[in-house]
Amino acid sequence: MKQYHKIKVLKLKHLLKKNLFIFDFDGVICNSVNIKTDAFFDLYSTFGPKIADQVKSHHIENGGMSRYEKISLYHKEFLNVSPSAEDINEFANNFSELVFKKVVSAELVDGVLSFLDLLRNNGKICAINSATPEYEIRKIIKEKDLDKYFFKVFGSPNTKSENLIKIINSTDFNKEETIFFGDAVNDLHAALKEKVDFIGVGEEIITNEQFRKSDYFHIRDFKILFKE
C-alpha cells in the first residue's frame, strides 16, 4: 500500500493518477455522523442512560458497521436478550425514521462537491460504499441530487470489503487504480484487506489507535486538497 502520509502536501495531481474513486457516505460526503450517533442514543434511551451511553460509545468507535449488526449486538450485549429478526427490523425502521430527513438536509463535507466536480470533469469514475442499507443510501443520494456523480451506490447488507470488490469488478480498472475515502475503522480494514489505497477523512479518526498504527493518509476535509 502506498504511503500517502509520507507526501508532505497531498496535491490533486497525486490523486488524479487514480481512476476509480470510492467514498463512504456519512462523515466523508455528508456531515451526518452526529445525526446517527444521536439517533442511536435516542433509540436506546428508553432502557436507561447507562445503556444509551454504552450504545453511543460503541457506535462512535465502530463506524462503518451496519445498523442491523449493531442493533443485534446491542440487544445481546447491553440488554441481555436475543433479538428476533422482527425485533431488529423494528429497531432499524425506527432508526431510519429518526435519521432520514436529517441526513437529507445535512450539509456536505467542506470541499467535497468541488472535488466531485473535478473528478467528473477529468473523466474519473466515482462510487459510494456505505454501511447504510442500500435502498436507503440510494434514496438519500437521489434526494440530495448527488446521483449524477456516482455510477454505483452500494450499501448493506454487503460488507465494505464485499462492496469494494463489487465496485472494482464492475469497471475495467484494477486495485492499483482505485482509492477509497473513509472515516471509520471498518473502512480502513476493508481497504487493507482488499489492498486498496485509503485516505481517512475527518478529525475524529486521528485519536483512534487502529488508525495510528496503520499506513494511510489523512485529510481534514476536501477543501484542503485545493490549497497550494
Side-chain angles (χ1 to χ4, degrees):
M1 189 173 183
K2 292 182 180 179
Q3 298 177 331
Y4 280 100
H5 65 289
K6 289 187 176 180
I7 301 174
K8 186 175 181 180
V9 178
L10 184 64
K11 295 187 177 181
L12 285 173
K13 65 180 181 181
H14 296 124
L15 285 177
L16 292 178
K17 292 179 181 179
K18 299 291 185 179
N19 288 308
L20 177 57
F21 293 74
I22 303 175
F23 301 83
D24 178 40
F25 185 76
D26 295 309
V28 175
I29 298 293
C30 183
N31 283 314
S32 45
V33 172
N34 289 339
I35 292 172
K36 295 190 173 182
T37 300
D38 293 342
F40 267 117
F41 183 88
D42 292 342
L43 198 62
Y44 282 87
S45 62
T46 56
F47 301 100
K50 181 179 178 181
I51 297 296
D53 283 335
Q54 288 175 316
V55 167
K56 180 178 179 179
S57 295
H58 181 275
H59 169 71
I60 291 171
E61 294 170 4
N62 292 273
M65 184 178 180
S66 82
R67 67 190 62 173
Y68 296 96
E69 292 177 285
K70 288 180 177 179
I71 290 167
S72 178
L73 177 69
Y74 299 158
H75 274 62
K76 292 175 183 176
E77 295 294 323
F78 304 145
L79 303 182
N80 199 30
V81 296
S82 296
S84 65
E86 290 78 12
D87 292 332
I88 295 173
N89 285 332
E90 180 183 355
F91 268 70
N93 289 337
N94 290 340
F95 180 85
S96 180
E97 290 178 6
L98 286 171
V99 305
F100 181 80
K101 289 183 179 179
K102 291 182 180 179
V103 172
V104 168
S105 62
E107 294 183 355
L108 299 180
V109 171
D110 284 346
V112 71
L113 204 57
S114 296
F115 187 55
L116 291 172
D117 281 327
L118 179 72
L119 295 177
R120 187 169 64 158
N121 292 338
N122 279 271
K124 306 300 181 180
I125 302 298
C126 298
I128 291 289
N129 180 6
S130 173
T132 299
E134 197 161 292
Y135 72 90
E136 185 175 313
I137 188 61
R138 289 182 175 179
K139 188 176 178 182
I140 289 170
I141 293 288
K142 186 174 181 61
E143 288 286 330
K144 294 184 77 68
D145 195 28
L146 295 172
D147 47 331
K148 59 189 174 186
Y149 294 107
F150 303 107
F151 93 111
K152 295 288 182 182
V153 176
F154 288 130
S156 65
N158 288 328
T159 66
K160 291 292 183 76
S161 179
E162 290 169 339
N163 282 339
L164 279 179
I165 296 303
K166 285 176 66 176
I167 293 168
I168 294 169
N169 288 345
S170 66
T171 73
D172 294 326
F173 303 125
N174 56 40
K175 292 181 180 181
E176 288 71 31
E177 297 174 277
T178 302
I179 193 158
F180 182 31
F181 295 81
D183 72 326
V185 171
N186 279 12
D187 298 330
L188 174 63
H189 287 174
L192 292 173
K193 179 181 178 182
E194 304 305 334
K195 296 180 173 59
V196 170
D197 283 348
F198 181 79
I199 292 184
V201 181
E203 296 291 354
E204 289 79 6
I205 62 175
I206 299 174
T207 62
N208 189 297
E209 184 65 25
Q210 294 186 61
F211 274 95
R212 288 202 295 268
K213 292 179 178 179
S214 302
D215 182 19
Y216 76 103
F217 186 78
H218 167 261
I219 57 174
R220 182 178 64 252
D221 53 41
F222 293 90
K223 185 169 62 177
I224 198 170
L225 295 175
F226 294 91
K227 295 181 179 178
E228 294 296 327

